[in-house]
Amino acid sequence: MNIQPVASRAERLLSFNLADFAVPQGTEEEWRFTPLERMEDFFDEEAGAELPAITVSDASLVEKVTRDDARLGQLMAPEDRVAALAWNSAKEAYVLTLPKETKLDSEVVVTVNGAGGDGVAAVQLLVDAQPFSEATVVINHVGSARLAEGIEINVGSGAHLTFVTIQDWDDDAVHTSSNRAHVARDGNLKHIVVSLGGDLVRTTTSVDFGGENGNVNLLGAYFVDEGQHIENRLLVDHNQANCVSNVTYKGALQGEEAHSVWIGDVLIQPNAEGTDTYELNRNLILTEGARADSVPNLEIETGEIEGAGHASATGRFDDEQLFYLRSRGIPEDQARRLVVRGFFAELINQIGVESVQAKLMESIEKELDITLELSE
């Protein structure tokens, strides 16, 4: 079928029916940056490969359910064909419940461990942060897989949820993840995407609100190597009054055909008076041959807002900074590390989850070892 482009993100197609989405051709706005030839099997009628092994650090909080469980599919319908494929192909799903008025002192870690093999696997996960709960949930993806993933995130009234998804795949993995979040009145969501490994990793994150005074902080960090494609697409739909959203994504790239894509859409609907929103994307090109595409978009349908803005910049490694540090006796390899660490420092400090911050810093150090080899 031929789907015509829409003038507003508010009119975008949302559907659980796979047939409502045409097979992408690469000319569509939502697919024009994606190397479709590397994920053609994600557009089939069904994903039937065996699921990666999934374990949860606190088994008492999670249930394995069938896909027709009444709690699933209540937040937001899929926005593209792969998300619809994940929904329709998943034979089972996981529901992780954070009980009402409960504060968890340690993070809940969900490990998705791929064992390789052919074919696309599909999985669904619901994270339900019930009213006035407070918790941190970390989804850690490791190993090798071809995985179409759908994640629903429900943040209840007055709840505080920190949700982290880490893509630390082996080099041959292909992973698409549709994150669909709903934040109720006075709810707070910190959503963090850390993408490090994999051949192609595409994460779409969409958020809307269920009442006033919702607060969303979307953070992302990525390090892209030779031949790797990491894509992040975000939509914050301000459909309620007096809500706040902030978006900060930073990435570094090195090696031939290293490619990052960041699309940040913010929609402020006519009834969303008092909205306060800002989005930022920064990319640091460390070597020749890398490419970063960055497109921030603001769609504002009411003038009664507190503020709305965006910023995007992509720059090469600053030789002047390197010269300044070296002129003060700092060896070149250490100087390069200091510049990249400084680039990520503010973002890492915002994460607020010690284990994730340590993981990210460790990965950055490993990537910097590669950077130094390439610069020699």
Side-chain angles (χ1 to χ4, degrees), residues 217-239:
N217 192 10
L218 305 180
L219 304 174
Y222 45 92
F223 213 122
V224 192
D225 285 326
E226 181 177 356
Q228 192 177 15
H229 179 94
I230 291 181
E231 183 167 343
N232 289 283
R233 288 180 169 266
L234 302 92
L235 168 64
V236 182
D237 183 355
H238 279 274
N239 58 333

Side-chain angles (χ1 to χ4, degrees), residues 49-374:
E50 184 178 352
L51 281 179
I54 298 176
T55 57
V56 183
S57 60
D58 188 343
S60 67
L61 298 174
V62 70
E63 305 167 69
K64 183 186 288 189
V65 300
T66 58
R67 216 294 314 285
D68 58 0
D69 188 284
R71 292 168 291 182
L72 301 173
Q74 300 301 310
L75 304 184
M76 187 188 304
E79 296 180 86
D80 61 43
R81 184 177 176 89
V82 179
L85 173 80
W87 171 262
N88 286 281
S89 296
K91 302 299 188 294
E92 58 190 27
Y94 295 82
V95 176
L96 198 163
T97 304
L98 307 170
K100 181 179 180 180
E101 300 178 353
T102 298
K103 179 179 179 179
L104 301 183
D105 294 327
S106 58
E107 58 259 31
V108 181
V109 179
V110 179
T111 302
V112 180
N113 192 344
D118 297 327
V120 178
V123 65
Q124 292 290 137
L125 170 67
L126 167 63
V127 178
D128 184 13
Q130 296 186 346
F132 303 102
S133 61
E134 185 173 344
T136 296
V137 175
V138 180
I139 315 293
N140 191 26
H141 301 88
V142 295
S144 177
R146 300 182 70 80
L147 180 66
E149 179 181 60
I151 300 176
E152 297 177 285
I153 304 167
N154 185 43
V155 182
S157 298
H160 288 71
L161 174 65
T162 297
F163 177 87
V164 187
T165 174
I166 302 173
Q167 286 61 246
D168 196 18
W169 295 106
D170 293 345
D171 291 343
D172 61 342
V174 177
H175 177 208
T176 66
S177 183
S178 171
N179 291 212
R180 306 189 290 274
H182 178 77
V183 180
R185 182 184 182 92
D186 298 316
N188 289 266
L189 171 64
K190 181 185 286 187
H191 183 281
I192 302 163
V193 178
V194 178
S195 297
L196 303 167
D199 176 57
L200 187 158
V201 174
R202 188 179 194 266
T203 305
T204 58
T205 301
S206 297
V207 183
D208 67 7
F209 298 90
E212 294 190 13
N213 301 316
N215 189 299
V216 172
N217 192 10
L218 305 180
L219 304 174
Y222 45 92
F223 213 122
V224 192
D225 285 326
E226 181 177 356
Q228 192 177 15
H229 179 94
I230 291 181
E231 183 167 343
N232 289 283
R233 288 180 169 266
L234 302 92
L235 168 64
V236 182
D237 183 355
H238 279 274
N239 58 333
Q240 300 288 334
N242 301 315
C243 293
V244 176
S245 67
N246 286 285
V247 178
T248 305
Y249 271 61
K250 288 190 174 184
L253 302 90
Q254 63 184 2
E256 287 292 329
E257 299 185 6
H259 188 199
S260 71
V261 177
W262 180 88
I263 309 295
D265 291 335
V266 174
L267 168 64
I268 304 175
Q269 299 206 34
N271 64 324
E273 297 91 351
T275 289
D276 190 359
T277 181
Y278 192 82
E279 57 177 348
L280 168 73
N281 178 229
R282 293 279 188 263
N283 296 289
L284 180 61
I285 305 294
L286 299 176
T287 67
E288 296 292 335
R291 170 186 168 188
D293 289 296
S294 179
V295 185
N297 298 300
L298 272 174
E299 184 178 347
I300 305 173
E301 298 180 347
T302 175
E304 301 297 323
I305 61 174
E306 290 296 315
H310 59 69
S312 170
T314 298
R316 298 190 178 277
F317 192 93
D318 193 333
D319 289 330
E320 289 187 6
Q321 285 184 325
L322 184 61
F323 176 79
Y324 176 85
L325 292 170
R326 293 189 66 190
S327 69
R328 276 146 182 79
I330 299 175
E332 181 175 351
D333 59 340
Q334 294 183 30
R336 286 182 176 274
R337 290 180 186 275
L338 286 172
V339 171
V340 178
R341 287 174 191 157
F343 173 76
F344 281 107
E346 182 182 1
L347 173 65
I348 291 173
N349 290 335
Q350 289 186 61
I351 290 175
V353 182
E354 186 175 341
S355 62
V356 177
Q357 292 178 168
K359 170 67 177 175
L360 182 53
M361 285 304 303
E362 179 186 353
S363 297
I364 288 172
E365 291 299 326
K366 290 180 179 178
E367 296 290 351
L368 287 173
D369 289 338
I370 299 174
T371 305
L372 293 173
E373 292 176 3
L374 292 174

